Amino acid sequence: MTPFTLTLIKLAFLAVLWLFVIAAVGVIRADLFGSKAAAKAASRAAQPPRPAKAAAKQSKAQRAPQRSSAQHGAPTKLVVVQGERAGTVIDLTGVPITIGRANDATLVVTDDYASSRHARLYAQDGQWIVEDLGSTNGTYLGRTKVSRPMPVPPGVPVRIGKTVIELRK
């Protein structure tokens, strides 16, 4: 090979090596500080949903029976069934629950496979929804990887790294 060809091969190898380093730093940064997707999801969750015009016209007395009947069989607690925090119980009050390694999470898990802001559980239309917040290793509902917000039936395991949680009545 000519010296020119060797120089081109060396430069190409160096460029690929730097792309790998930049990608690794990006993953570490997103894990430590949260990704843009997690920040957008959190800001969307903080905004209350706008009611439809017909629902806005209903009085509070008309809406209260619908709410109680929708939540009649709803789960009342979140239980950690596997992992370092096994046995932990969190009462479900309708407030969103964040799960991750960050200190400000509702359920802090010290798991190497969990991201700082890994997943979120929130109530919507009388059922609980799980949403992955752009985690590195993913969130699983049963055996299905959560790629979009999905409803969580009571008793179905939600796995975040080595931690498994369930909603119970």
Side-chain angles (χ1 to χ4, degrees):
M1 280 199 235
T2 65
F4 180 71
T5 305
L6 286 174
T7 303
L8 284 178
I9 291 172
K10 288 178 186 178
L11 289 174
F13 178 73
L14 188 62
V16 170
L17 182 66
W18 274 107
L19 287 175
F20 174 75
V21 168
I22 291 170
V25 168
V27 168
I28 292 169
R29 183 184 156 275
D31 193 38
L32 289 175
F33 303 113
S35 65
K36 290 179 184 177
K40 287 180 184 177
S43 68
R44 272 187 268 137
Q47 298 173 351
R50 292 186 217 158
K53 289 183 181 180
K57 291 181 182 179
Q58 289 180 343
S59 69
K60 288 183 181 180
Q62 290 173 330
R63 281 186 269 166
Q66 290 177 342
R67 216 178 286 142
S68 64
S69 64
Q71 292 186 359
H72 177 67
T76 58
K77 58 187 171 183
L78 174 116
V79 180
V80 180
V81 294
Q82 278 184 359
E84 193 172 298
R85 309 279 301 209
T88 303
V89 177
I90 298 174
D91 290 326
L92 300 175
T93 60
V95 177
I97 297 171
T98 55
I99 305 164
R101 289 189 301 173
N103 290 333
D104 63 345
T106 310
L107 177 60
V108 178
V109 292
T110 55
D111 188 343
D112 292 337
Y113 298 102
S115 299
S116 56
R117 285 169 189 79
H118 196 99
R120 179 171 70 113
L121 280 165
Y122 59 94
Q124 181 179 22
D125 299 328
Q127 61 184 351
W128 285 88
I129 309 292
V130 64
E131 177 182 25
D132 186 84
L133 299 176
S135 65
T136 306
N137 294 316
T139 303
Y140 291 86
L141 177 62
R143 293 180 180 255
T144 307
K145 187 170 185 178
V146 176
S147 57
R148 58 179 174 71
M150 298 174 70
V152 182
V156 175
V158 177
R159 185 169 55 83
I160 296 170
K162 295 178 182 177
T163 304
V164 178
I165 60 174
E166 287 182 6
L167 297 179
R168 295 190 180 161
K169 294 182 182 185

